[in-house]
Amino acid sequence: MDQNLQSAGKEPLLLQPSTDGENQKTNYGLVRIFAKWALRTTMWAIFVSWVGFIYLYPTQLGDSLFQKWNRLTEKSLFGITGSILLLVSGPILAIAVLAVAHLVLVSGEDEFYPRKKKYPRAQLWTFPLIVGGPLGVVSAAELIGVVLFVGYILWALYFYTLRNLALLSTFKLTSAQFSIYLMELTGLRLGMIGLFCLAFLFLPIARGSVLLRLIDIPVEHATRYHVWLGHVTMLLFTLHGLFYVVGWALQGKLLQEILEWKNIGISNLAGVISLLAGLIMWVTSLQPVRRWNFELFLYTHQLYIVFVVFLAFHVGDFIFSIAAGGIFLFMLDRFLRFCQSRNTVDVVSAKCFPCGTVELTLSKPQSLRYNALSFIFIQIRELSWLQWHPFSVSSSPLDGKYHISVLIKVLGGWTDKLKERIVTTSSADEDAEGAIIMDRNSKICRKLTASVEGPYGHESPYHLMYEYLVLVAGGIGISPFMAILRDVFHRLDEGTPCLPREILLVWAVKKSEEIGLLSTISLDYLRSDIFQKLNLHIQIYVTRESDPPLEEGKVTHEASSVVSPGCSGPKGNNMSVLVGTGDNIWSGLYVISSTLGFIVLLALIDAYYINPYGISSWWYKGLLLMSCMVGGVVVFGGVVIALWHIWSRKVSTTEQFEEDSKTNGTNGLHKNESSTANEDVPQGTDGVKAKNLLSASTTFINYGSRPDFTEIFQSTSKNWGHVDAGVMVCGPPTLQTTVAKEIRSHNLRRYSHDTVLHFNSHSFDL
């Protein structure tokens, strides 16, 4: 039979290449594409409908439709509270649940494969349209959002005013009475607008929120939106309270009204307490106050708990339901961050540079993923139990499996204490007197105890989406760009997808001793042909020195260091994977279980307590609603977190076992770990001088001058031609403003053959 088949030029069926697997993969890919499209379409439809309702609500038509909805649903188990919760807060919770499914689908895709654009063009979210105003640098897309938000407020005020005038015209009032009632009605309407603003206020500061990950907005950008929304919301609430206070004063019953706490109706005293807490947060968040005393701003901002709780007492459960959705998502994130920050993380190594910069290398599990442009929040308990500080990650996720590094500029009291602690610890270790408490077997430094939140950052590595990159740094702003460079080097070395081929690094420093930070990027472990694939040009501007410092005729850029001995590996205390770019399935289960738990608890309280016993007190029902929200997060979500923690420990144990068996007693260092051990896990000396970035790239150092970005962008445009170039800026606000102005000017006056510049900021400002 085989001979007959071969003579016929055929092979047996089982030996023929099967296309079933390929067809299954193709079908699965089509199903995934359709599922993502369906999810995105559904989320957009819900969001547009939600925003449409918010815009329509102040009108007479919107109010009529809202009243009809309440009449249809008020006889249900949840009553009017459930009606408003479903109509106003339900959409944002539904989008969050759908976002979980979308993130799970996206996370199952293959490694990032960049795609070149066919035609270079400006984009709304990378074109700086407003520069130097009170809002800082505002892109065209952000301006559209600001206009829509301000437009809603003006729209609502206009229609509310018409409705107020129409209502008052039905009564016979004196001019004085008319003015007083109009003032109080206007205050009421301002409070309602403020509640809708409050529905958005907490969304940007939910750092690990699935919503921010869905639209790929990193925490440093979202914080700006929270600041903008906070100013508008507090202005509306302040006017809301002020209009009532003036109206009560004109009627001679100011003190009586302020101290009133009603069971049925609005509780004025609770509103006064909530407003006072909000005003304290607002005043201490202003830029002059933050600059004068940052800790004051940080500590008083914890009054948000008082603000929210007494707001629920003030308006009751059904009115508070308007803002409950956004607040609930923030509670989800806050509880998760609290659980993550309970872990103590080993400080694998700590290095001090002569320029006043500290490098901390922290232990992390292999399963924790992050992008090169990420932030982490660090607390050092030996320095303070209350202070958390954000730092940009300076290491690439490809540097190694078990460590992550940050660069910290010594600028204030907390960083001064940190440097002093590291130097003291290192000196004690050199004396071998036991002042540094060490486990000599694992060589993990026990002197510093760190707690970490994060990492937070872009969901996708957007620095890999440009073939041409301009990195502009000011001082310690070089930190995230060191991560980018390391990431690009690793990808080119390993042959993984990487689009950048032309990189220009522009770095402005005050003193030449800061240049030594670049020397820490050792290139000896990389192939020599990397710079045949990548053109890297470095321009360094030393602004406060007119001439290079000379030592035996050489310009000195080498960094000397004081280090704390340590090692990286799967052993020891690692960062928790609960927040940031953690496991999408577990984080999705947490969101879904907490949301369902909130609904279940609310149903149980309505069915077995509120309805049977006829509970009618507004402030008390507001307290019960808040309790259901907290219970859903802590009880139902807490079960998922506990299971997640157990699972992550098992995964870590498995990783440790596999690593131990693979390395056979080499301190748990993987190939990637070994290759970067000299730079990321220092051993007490600078060791052999490796070939570093400064000697391998085209580097120009300019003394006594600042970067001329007009000339820089004209030169790059002439060399690169008609392409898309990503310009990433990390530094003080003045640097960002200068670069943004020049990019706007360049893009507006450029010719068809010039480079299109895309502005991207990477600076964190609380």
Side-chain angles (χ1 to χ4, degrees):
M1 179 178 177
D2 291 341
Q3 292 178 353
N4 294 334
L5 287 171
Q6 291 177 1
S7 63
K10 299 179 181 179
E11 295 180 352
L13 181 61
L14 294 178
L15 297 180
Q16 293 180 2
S18 175
T19 60
D20 291 344
E22 295 180 1
N23 290 335
Q24 289 178 359
K25 289 182 179 179
T26 302
N27 293 334
Y28 179 71
L30 291 176
V31 170
R32 172 176 287 180
I33 291 172
F34 175 78
K36 289 193 297 182
W37 175 85
L39 285 171
R40 285 195 294 263
T41 303
T42 304
M43 287 186 287
W44 269 111
I46 295 174
F47 179 74
V48 171
S49 301
W50 182 48
V51 173
F53 163 74
I54 293 175
Y55 262 82
L56 192 62
Y57 180 77
T59 67
Q60 193 68 44
L61 175 62
D63 182 67
S64 176
L65 294 174
F66 182 66
Q67 296 302 329
K68 289 181 179 179
W69 167 261
N70 285 337
R71 285 194 294 270
L72 288 173
T73 56
E74 65 182 356
K75 299 300 182 180
S76 64
L77 173 65
F78 298 98
I80 189 174
T81 302
S83 301
I84 299 177
L85 194 64
L86 178 63
L87 186 63
V88 186
S89 293
I92 197 66
L93 296 178
I95 292 174
V97 172
L98 293 175
V100 168
H102 187 272
L103 288 173
V104 170
L105 284 174
V106 172
S107 65
E109 293 179 344
D110 295 332
E111 178 72 21
F112 166 75
Y113 286 94
R115 298 178 181 176
K116 296 183 181 179
K117 295 178 183 176
K118 189 173 181 180
Y119 302 106
R121 60 184 182 275
Q123 296 175 325
L124 292 177
W125 50 89
T126 58
F127 182 78
L129 198 57
I130 296 181
V131 179
L135 300 181
V137 180
V138 181
S139 69
E142 291 172 334
L143 182 61
I144 292 174
V146 170
V147 169
L148 288 175
F149 210 87
V150 174
Y152 160 72
I153 294 174
L154 297 178
W155 165 278
L157 284 175
Y158 171 73
F159 280 99
Y160 276 140
T161 302
L162 292 181
R163 290 173 59 183
N164 290 343
L165 293 175
L167 176 64
L168 292 177
S169 64
T170 60
F171 300 95
K172 293 182 179 180
L173 301 171
T174 64
S175 58
Q177 290 176 327
F178 184 88
S179 299
I180 291 174
Y181 291 146
L182 179 61
M183 186 176 299
E184 291 186 355
L185 280 175
T186 303
L188 174 66
R189 306 304 191 186
L190 288 169
M192 184 60 66
I193 299 172
L195 275 175
F196 280 107
C197 293
L198 189 65
F200 292 89
L201 179 63
F202 285 89
L203 296 178
I205 52 171
R207 296 172 185 168
S209 168
V210 293
L211 295 180
L212 295 183
R213 295 179 61 194
L214 173 70
I215 55 182
D216 201 12
I217 294 182
V219 62
E220 69 270 21
H221 292 178
T223 302
R224 300 174 66 221
Y225 308 147
H226 171 73
V227 172
W228 298 350
L229 285 167
H231 289 314
V232 174
T233 304
M234 284 312 306
L235 177 62
L236 291 169
F237 281 151
T238 302
L239 291 176
H240 160 74
L242 184 62
F243 277 37
Y244 270 105
V245 166
V246 172
W248 294 334
L250 292 176
Q251 297 176 69
K253 53 178 184 178
L254 176 60
L255 185 61
Q256 175 187 349
E257 290 287 350
I258 285 180
L259 297 178
E260 190 174 42
W261 189 300
K262 297 179 181 178
N263 284 326
I264 307 297
I266 300 296
S267 300
N268 295 335
L269 180 58
V272 170
I273 296 173
S274 177
L275 181 59
L276 288 176
L279 287 173
I280 293 173
M281 288 190 293
W282 190 22
V283 171
T284 55
S285 69
L286 298 176
Q287 185 65 30
V289 179
R290 292 208 313 268
R291 196 181 300 114
W292 169 63
N293 193 327
F294 180 81
E295 283 72 22
L296 179 64
F297 151 73
L298 192 64
Y299 299 149
T300 56
H301 235 61
Q302 307 312 308
L303 289 173
Y304 74 86
I305 300 175
V306 176
F307 173 76
V308 171
V309 171
F310 279 88
L311 176 64
F313 294 165
H314 174 56
V315 298
D317 58 331
F318 68 95
I319 299 178
F320 182 76
S321 298
I322 294 174
I327 295 174
F328 181 74
L329 291 178
F330 170 76
M331 291 168 60
L332 281 173
D333 177 76
R334 191 64 192 88
F335 182 65
L336 199 61
R337 286 160 44 198
F338 171 80
C339 294
Q340 186 194 35
S341 63
R342 296 307 91 196
N343 271 23
T344 55
V345 180
D346 290 328
V347 179
V348 174
S349 71
K351 176 186 289 187
C352 294
F353 293 91
C355 59
T357 299
V358 171
E359 182 186 52
L360 292 184
T361 302
L362 307 172
S363 180
K364 81 170 188 69
Q366 179 181 350
S367 56
L368 187 142
R369 301 182 304 275
Y370 67 98
N371 288 323
L373 288 171
S374 295
F375 280 92
I376 60 174
F377 287 75
I378 297 179
Q379 176 206 60
I380 305 293
R381 296 183 180 180
E382 284 80 7
L383 306 182
S384 173
W385 279 80
L386 297 177
Q387 294 187 42
W388 288 83
H389 295 269
F391 299 103
S392 181
V393 173
S394 61
S395 60
S396 163
L398 300 177
D399 275 343
K401 295 180 180 179
Y402 303 112
H403 66 266
I404 187 171
S405 300
V406 295
L407 289 175
I408 302 173
K409 183 70 174 179
V410 179
L411 292 173
W414 187 87
T415 51
D416 280 332
K417 293 178 183 178
L418 175 62
K419 181 179 179 180
E420 181 181 355
R421 171 78 64 165
I422 293 170
V423 173
T424 304
T425 298
S426 179
S427 301
D429 181 53
E430 290 177 1
D431 295 338
E433 293 294 336
I436 175 173
I437 305 172
M438 294 182 59
D439 180 349
R440 295 296 178 182
N441 294 323
S442 62
K443 294 185 179 179
I444 295 176
C445 174
R446 304 293 185 186
K447 193 65 176 179
L448 287 178
T449 305
S451 297
V452 180
E453 285 185 13
Y456 306 105
H458 281 272
E459 189 68 14
S460 58
Y462 78 101
H463 62 283
L464 300 177
M465 299 179 182
Y466 297 103
E467 187 174 0
Y468 298 84
L469 280 176
V470 181
L471 310 177
V472 181
I476 196 59
I478 193 64
S479 179
F481 300 149
M482 293 175 69
I484 287 181
L485 293 175
R486 283 173 166 149
D487 202 44
V488 171
F489 292 156
H490 277 294
R491 288 176 176 272
L492 291 176
D493 183 52
E494 298 171 5
T496 52
C498 182
L499 193 57
R501 288 297 182 268
E502 296 274 354
I503 297 181
L504 170 62
L505 173 62
V506 181
W507 187 22
V509 298
K510 294 179 180 179
K511 301 286 186 178
S512 59
E513 58 187 9
E514 298 181 50
I515 301 176
L517 293 177
L518 284 180
S519 301
T520 62
I521 303 182
S522 175
L523 305 179
D524 277 11
Y525 57 92
L526 300 174
R527 295 201 313 268
S528 60
D529 63 344
I530 281 184
F531 287 95
Q532 296 176 5
K533 305 176 183 178
L534 175 69
N535 291 325
L536 175 62
H537 302 273
I538 301 177
Q539 297 181 13
I540 301 176
Y541 295 83
V542 184
T543 60
R544 295 191 179 180
E545 293 179 4
S546 56
D547 298 301
L550 298 179
E551 181 180 353
E552 298 180 359
K554 294 184 178 181
V555 180
T556 59
H557 302 307
E558 294 292 333
S560 59
S561 61
V562 177
V563 300
S564 300
C567 66
S568 62
K571 299 180 180 180
N573 297 321
N574 293 323
M575 294 169 55
S576 170
V577 298
L578 296 180
V579 186
T581 55
D583 188 280
N584 289 317
I585 294 179
W586 279 109
S587 60
L589 289 174
Y590 170 66
V591 172
I592 293 172
S593 65
S594 299
T595 305
L596 291 176
F598 168 41
I599 297 173
V600 168
L601 290 177
L602 190 60
L604 291 175
I605 285 183
D606 279 328
Y608 295 101
Y609 184 58
I610 293 179
N611 295 333
Y613 292 94
I615 304 299
S616 58
S617 176
W618 285 24
W619 73 267
Y620 184 55
K621 291 175 71 175
L623 174 62
L624 293 176
L625 177 63
M626 287 287 297
S627 300
C628 291
M629 294 168 65
V630 174
V633 174
V634 175
V635 178
F636 289 79
V639 172
V640 175
I641 291 177
L643 295 175
W644 190 357
H645 180 68
I646 295 172
W647 174 83
S648 63
R649 287 179 65 89
K650 287 184 177 179
V651 171
S652 180
T653 303
T654 303
E655 291 173 358
Q656 178 179 335
F657 175 78
E658 292 177 351
E659 196 71 21
D660 287 344
S661 60
K662 185 185 300 182
T663 56
N664 192 22
T666 57
N667 289 331
L669 288 176
H670 186 269
K671 176 177 178 283
N672 285 345
E673 232 73 26
S674 301
S675 65
T676 57
N678 287 337
E679 63 185 73
D680 289 327
V681 191
Q683 301 298 323
T685 64
D686 288 336
V688 179
K689 296 187 181 300
K691 181 180 180 182
N692 57 52
L693 189 63
L694 293 173
S695 60
S697 61
T698 304
T699 304
F700 298 96
I701 303 177
N702 302 271
Y703 290 87
S705 64
R706 298 180 181 275
D708 184 348
F709 290 106
T710 302
E711 180 182 347
I712 290 172
F713 291 145
Q714 286 178 353
S715 176
T716 55
S717 180
K718 180 179 178 181
N719 294 332
W720 292 348
H722 188 47
V723 297
D724 284 306
V727 182
M728 301 182 183
V729 186
C730 186
T734 53
L735 179 64
Q736 296 182 58
T737 301
T738 302
V739 175
K741 282 182 178 179
E742 189 53 43
I743 290 176
R744 181 183 62 182
S745 177
H746 172 88
N747 286 341
L748 290 176
R749 68 169 186 260
R750 69 179 179 85
Y751 296 102
S752 59
H753 59 273
D754 285 340
T755 301
V756 179
L757 301 177
H758 300 269
F759 178 81
N760 298 274
S761 172
H762 188 75
S763 296
F764 197 98
D765 184 22
L766 281 175

